[in-house]
Amino acid sequence: MAEIAGVLMMSHVPAIGGAIAKGVQQEPYWKPFFDGFPPVRDWLAQAKPDVAVMVYNDHGLNFFLDKMPTFALGVAPQYQNADEGWGIPVVPPFEGDEDLSWHLLESLVDAEFDPVSCQEMAVDHAFTLPLQLCWPDMKWPVRTVPVVVNTVQYPMPSAARCAKLGRTIGDAIRAWDSDARVVVFGTGGLSHQLEGERAGFINKPFDEKFMASMVDDPEWATQFSIHDIIEKTGTQGLELLNWLAARNTVPGTMRTVHSNYHIPISNTASALMALEPA
Ligand code: DHB
Ligand code: FE
């Protein structure tokens, strides 16, 4: 049966792609951010995952506001990146894992989640940047499965629902008839708001409590409504739902491999956590 080797959660700000393209990782603005990643790369080199399940929100590259699934799952052999208009380079395509995708789809539908199944899917910065930060040579050593959560347009799924999505995906991975090692990514957040009168809003005390909960109390955030989370973390801080789903693929306490928190990257409180089963 397959095994979850770890859960990696990190922010996905497009400007990171610009910094990588310009090679400015060691400049003072970027160094505290990029310095978070070597320990994660070391851990990946030793954990040697075969597959990455990517829990993230699409920002209009694949789903626009006219068709917004609450949950969607990629079941394609390959996923292409494309220009989103941020001026960052398009990265090489990602191999899918059709066997795990279809197994997850069947498991989710059995559990009454009913995600939209996508046999073609473009992947945006929320999918590409975390993988680029983990494997800067862009020779992707993992097959991928995209899991898209609507954190963008009302009505969004509740925190409790996202945690349950994660538990269902975790159980399905462990029941998958494969000896693959799977790493689960949750991307986005933490607190940030890009528009309106609270643009630039960041809530460090809340982010710190949320990050602590990821270690040993993964359901802590399910006490909050969508409105609570937006009030506490900003409109785009709601992307923490992706962390919540990813983290809840593994029950109970996890061991912290590495964590980093840095304000700001662009408008975002940038956070990184690498956890492995305790
Ligand atoms: C920014 C953050 C995001 O999560 C995103 O998807 C786009 C931009 C930002 O802070 O610039
Ligand atoms: Fe985002």
Side-chain angles (χ1 to χ4, degrees), residues 16-263:
I16 299 162
I20 294 171
K22 290 189 215 110
V24 295
Q25 293 93 329
Q26 290 308 306
E27 288 190 358
Y29 181 86
W30 288 104
K31 189 172 164 42
F33 169 77
F34 281 100
D35 279 355
F37 287 89
V40 177
R41 290 178 203 138
D42 291 346
W43 178 82
L44 283 165
Q46 155 256 297
K48 292 192 176 51
D50 304 293
V51 188
V53 171
M54 305 298 297
V55 184
Y56 68 103
N57 59 293
D58 182 84
H59 297 72
L61 183 68
N62 193 75
F63 300 113
F64 200 59
L65 302 179
D66 60 334
K67 297 182 193 71
M68 184 57 65
T70 306
F71 301 115
L73 186 73
V75 292
Q78 201 191 57
Y79 303 97
Q80 304 275 350
N81 179 217
D83 185 6
E84 295 172 67
W86 296 104
I88 58 178
V90 170
V91 301
F94 300 84
E95 193 189 341
D97 188 314
E98 291 176 273
D99 192 45
L100 178 56
S101 283
W102 285 101
H103 170 71
L104 286 183
L105 182 61
E106 285 170 13
S107 306
L108 286 168
V109 172
D110 276 351
E112 303 180 343
F113 265 99
D114 313 322
V116 172
S117 60
C118 303
Q119 300 191 41
E120 236 181 58
M121 185 180 229
V123 291
D124 75 4
H125 68 277
F127 179 107
T128 62
L129 290 174
L131 291 168
Q132 219 180 329
L133 287 162
C134 288
W135 291 287
D137 65 2
M138 294 194 271
K139 295 189 173 87
W140 319 121
V142 284
R143 303 184 297 278
T144 57
V145 175
V147 178
V148 177
V149 177
N150 169 27
T151 68
V152 174
Q153 175 169 255
Y154 286 101
M156 291 76 128
S158 70
R161 183 96 177 121
C162 292
K164 187 173 180 201
L165 175 77
R167 287 197 299 277
T168 306
I169 291 173
D171 288 344
I173 292 171
R174 283 180 289 272
W176 180 35
D177 186 11
S178 161
D179 54 15
R181 290 168 61 73
V182 179
V183 63
V184 183
F185 282 72
T187 94
L190 287 179
S191 58
H192 64 300
Q193 171 146 345
L194 301 179
E195 73 287 302
E197 58 189 36
R198 289 208 308 167
F201 177 78
I202 276 174
N203 184 346
K204 184 175 178 184
F206 184 88
D207 287 343
E208 286 175 338
K209 276 197 207 120
F210 179 71
M211 288 174 79
S213 78
M214 292 286 98
V215 178
D216 59 10
D217 190 7
E219 297 200 43
W220 174 80
T222 63
Q223 68 185 291
F224 300 113
S225 71
I226 292 299
H227 289 108
D228 289 338
I229 297 172
I230 289 174
E231 186 174 55
K232 288 176 194 306
T233 71
T235 40
Q236 281 76 31
L238 191 58
E239 291 174 347
L240 65 74
L241 293 177
N242 305 325
W243 286 48
L244 197 57
R247 170 60 182 86
N248 277 281
T249 58
V250 178
T253 297
M254 295 188 80
R255 197 184 77 77
T256 304
V257 174
H258 187 66
S259 117
N260 189 35
Y261 183 83
H262 175 69
I263 299 171

